Amino acid sequence: MWQKLKIYFNRLIRNRFLQHLFFWCLSFLVLMNVLKVSAEVKTIDLIYAAIFHIPIVAVVYINLRLLFPFFLEKGKYLLYSLLILSLIALGSGFYLVLFNKWVDYFFEGYYFIAFYGFWDISLYFAVYLVATSLLRLARGWFRLQEIETERNKAELKALRSQINPHFLFNSLNSIYSLSRKNSKEVPEKIVQLSDLLRHIIYDSDRDFIPLEKEMEMIRNYITLQNLRTDEQHKINLQVDGEEKEKMIAPMIILPFVENSFKHGLKGGSDNAFVNILLTISDHKLDLEIANSKGKSANDTDLRYQGIGIENVRKRLEMLYPGKHKLKITETEQTFTVDLQIEIN
């Protein structure tokens, strides 16, 4: 029920007609009290405030509907300034003619005069033009922020969809290697892969998940990949610090681990190694990965080389703007990754 009320309320406050109606009702209330001739509000005060708004409304909407979109938004600032000054002058002249000549023909039982001179009423118009222009700019800015947020969400979703198949292909290759050896561990590893896929499908769609859940997936992945190597060539993982009660964006660490396995152990280096050190503090995570440099084992690896890492770079920029540092160093023999993230 509360969710429906919230949606209904959001629709109301986004309704442009209601926004304009609220603005002019507030304006009428303020000017009625400013222009009233006595302590109490009388009928003549209501009529005067209503008539007083006629030139103001005309000037405001000429600006918002014509001058603003066709001149200001198109960068014709000098011409826009000249037209605004002309509009204020015309509005002031219209105000003086309206109250000094025309209004008495419509309200014969009342006597109206123009309270303000040309320059005083021009100041009124200038205030209204500035206020309404700023409100329009603010509304446009908030709209751009909404569009940017939606675009970021769509881009993040697209990046995740690119990472997931890459991870799946590598994991299936590991199980395939076991099946060729008729290993009894195949059913167990299929279940393990199922758990990993469940993590990807249900958790990677969130912006942040518990760090311990992410590390559980990393450990499962490393265990699965280590089955494809001999005892001398294993992925070594060391974690220093407490994983509990920490949050992290999903699928941030895994692509670096994948890349180190592909180039370090799978790459064909004689002295292949992959060393991973994860240091966790209260508000910071430091990931260090060093691996030997070899050649990709097949054309598929070459085709997808760098996809996961490039996607992670984009996701880091979107999810940790100004709160992360990523440095990747390549020498003739090694790759080194140093990633620092401000967490929680």
Side-chain angles (χ1 to χ4, degrees), residues 20 36 39 53 76 90 99 143 156 162 172 174 207 209 234 241 245 254 270 273 275 308 319:
H20 286 245
K36 63 183 180 181
H53 271 83
K76 301 176 181 179
L90 289 173
F99 277 96
R143 179 57 183 157
L156 277 173
Q162 293 174 26
L172 287 174
S174 298
D207 286 340
I209 63 172
K234 299 292 184 182
E245 299 183 357
L254 179 62
D270 294 334
F273 69 91
N275 296 321
L319 295 172

Coordinates of all heavy atoms in Angstrom, one line a residue, residues 20 36 39 53 76 90 99 143 156 162 172 174 207 209 234 241 245 254 270 273 275 308 319:
H20 N 3.2 23.9 -12.3 CA 2.9 25.3 -12.7 C 1.7 25.8 -11.8 O 1.8 27.0 -11.4 CB 2.5 25.4 -14.1 CG 3.7 25.2 -15.0 ND1 4.2 26.2 -15.9 CD2 4.6 24.1 -15.2 CE1 5.2 25.8 -16.5 NE2 5.5 24.5 -16.2
K36 N -2.4 44.1 -0.8 CA -3.6 44.4 -0.1 C -3.6 45.8 0.5 O -2.5 46.3 1.0 CB -4.0 43.4 1.0 CG -3.0 43.3 2.1 CD -3.4 42.2 3.1 CE -2.4 42.1 4.2 NZ -2.8 41.0 5.2
A39 N -5.5 45.7 6.5 CA -5.0 44.5 7.3 C -5.7 43.2 6.8 O -5.1 42.1 6.8 CB -5.2 44.7 8.8
H53 N -1.4 39.7 -12.1 CA -0.7 38.5 -12.6 C -0.7 38.4 -14.1 O 0.1 37.7 -14.7 CB -1.2 37.2 -12.0 CG -0.5 36.9 -10.7 ND1 -0.9 37.4 -9.5 CD2 0.5 36.0 -10.4 CE1 -0.1 36.9 -8.5 NE2 0.7 36.0 -9.1
K76 N 22.5 31.4 -28.1 CA 22.4 32.8 -28.6 C 22.2 33.8 -27.4 O 21.2 34.4 -27.3 CB 21.3 32.9 -29.6 CG 21.5 32.0 -30.8 CD 20.3 32.1 -31.7 CE 20.4 31.1 -32.9 NZ 19.2 31.1 -33.8
L90 N 8.3 45.7 -22.7 CA 6.9 45.6 -23.2 C 5.9 45.2 -22.1 O 4.8 45.7 -22.0 CB 6.9 44.5 -24.3 CG 7.6 44.9 -25.6 CD1 7.6 43.8 -26.6 CD2 6.8 46.1 -26.3
F99 N -3.7 48.9 -16.2 CA -4.2 49.5 -15.0 C -4.7 50.9 -15.1 O -5.6 51.4 -14.5 CB -3.2 49.4 -13.8 CG -3.3 48.0 -13.2 CD1 -2.3 47.0 -13.5 CD2 -4.2 47.7 -12.2 CE1 -2.4 45.8 -12.9 CE2 -4.2 46.5 -11.6 CZ -3.3 45.5 -11.9
R143 N 16.3 16.1 -14.6 CA 16.0 15.1 -15.6 C 17.2 14.5 -16.2 O 17.2 13.3 -16.5 CB 15.1 15.8 -16.7 CG 14.7 14.9 -17.8 CD 13.9 13.8 -17.3 NE 13.6 12.9 -18.4 CZ 13.3 11.6 -18.3 NH1 13.3 11.1 -17.1 NH2 12.9 10.9 -19.3
L156 N 25.7 -0.9 -16.8 CA 26.2 -1.9 -15.9 C 25.6 -3.3 -16.2 O 26.3 -4.3 -16.1 CB 25.8 -1.5 -14.5 CG 26.7 -0.6 -13.8 CD1 26.1 -0.1 -12.4 CD2 28.1 -1.2 -13.6
Q162 N 28.2 -9.3 -20.4 CA 29.4 -9.6 -21.1 C 30.4 -10.5 -20.3 O 31.1 -11.3 -20.8 CB 30.1 -8.4 -21.6 CG 29.4 -7.6 -22.6 CD 30.0 -6.3 -23.0 OE1 31.2 -6.1 -22.8 NE2 29.3 -5.3 -23.4
L172 N 33.4 -24.3 -17.7 CA 33.0 -25.5 -18.5 C 34.2 -26.2 -19.0 O 34.2 -27.4 -19.1 CB 32.0 -25.1 -19.6 CG 30.6 -24.7 -19.2 CD1 29.8 -24.2 -20.3 CD2 29.9 -25.9 -18.5
S174 N 37.0 -26.3 -17.6 CA 37.6 -27.1 -16.4 C 36.9 -28.4 -16.2 O 37.6 -29.5 -16.0 CB 37.5 -26.2 -15.1 OG 38.3 -25.0 -15.3
D207 N 24.1 -4.1 -7.0 CA 25.2 -3.2 -7.1 C 26.3 -3.6 -6.1 O 27.5 -3.6 -6.4 CB 24.8 -1.8 -6.7 CG 24.1 -1.1 -7.9 OD1 24.2 -1.6 -9.0 OD2 23.3 -0.1 -7.7
I209 N 27.2 -6.7 -2.8 CA 26.9 -7.9 -2.1 C 27.9 -8.1 -0.9 O 29.0 -7.4 -0.9 CB 27.0 -9.1 -3.0 CG1 28.4 -9.3 -3.5 CG2 25.9 -9.0 -4.1 CD1 28.6 -10.6 -4.3
K234 N 49.8 -24.0 -9.2 CA 48.5 -23.8 -8.6 C 48.3 -22.3 -8.4 O 49.3 -21.5 -8.3 CB 48.4 -24.5 -7.2 CG 48.5 -26.0 -7.3 CD 47.3 -26.6 -8.0 CE 47.4 -28.2 -8.0 NZ 46.3 -28.8 -8.7
G241 N 42.8 -10.3 6.8 CA 41.8 -9.4 7.3 C 40.4 -10.1 7.4 O 40.3 -11.2 7.0
E245 N 30.9 -8.5 7.3 CA 30.3 -7.1 7.4 C 31.0 -6.1 6.5 O 31.1 -4.9 6.8 CB 30.5 -6.7 8.9 CG 29.7 -7.5 9.9 CD 29.8 -7.0 11.3 OE1 30.5 -6.0 11.5 OE2 29.1 -7.6 12.2
L254 N 36.9 -11.3 -9.8 CA 37.0 -12.5 -10.6 C 37.7 -12.3 -11.9 O 38.5 -13.1 -12.3 CB 35.6 -13.1 -10.8 CG 35.5 -14.4 -11.7 CD1 36.3 -15.5 -11.0 CD2 34.1 -14.8 -12.0
D270 N 57.2 -21.6 -18.7 CA 57.9 -22.7 -18.0 C 57.9 -22.7 -16.5 O 57.7 -23.7 -15.8 CB 59.4 -22.7 -18.5 CG 59.5 -23.0 -20.0 OD1 58.6 -23.7 -20.5 OD2 60.5 -22.6 -20.6
F273 N 53.2 -19.2 -12.5 CA 52.8 -19.0 -11.2 C 51.7 -18.0 -11.2 O 51.6 -17.1 -12.1 CB 53.9 -18.6 -10.3 CG 54.4 -17.2 -10.6 CD1 53.9 -16.1 -9.9 CD2 55.5 -17.0 -11.5 CE1 54.4 -14.8 -10.2 CE2 55.9 -15.7 -11.8 CZ 55.4 -14.6 -11.1
N275 N 50.0 -15.7 -7.9 CA 50.0 -15.4 -6.5 C 49.0 -14.2 -6.3 O 49.1 -13.2 -6.9 CB 51.4 -15.0 -6.0 CG 52.4 -16.1 -6.1 OD1 52.0 -17.3 -5.8 ND2 53.6 -15.8 -6.4
G308 N 37.1 -8.9 -20.2 CA 36.8 -8.9 -18.8 C 37.4 -7.7 -18.1 O 36.7 -7.0 -17.3
L319 N 30.9 2.5 -10.3 CA 30.5 2.1 -9.0 C 31.4 2.7 -7.9 O 30.9 2.9 -6.7 CB 30.4 0.6 -8.8 CG 29.4 -0.1 -9.7 CD1 29.6 -1.6 -9.6 CD2 28.0 0.3 -9.2

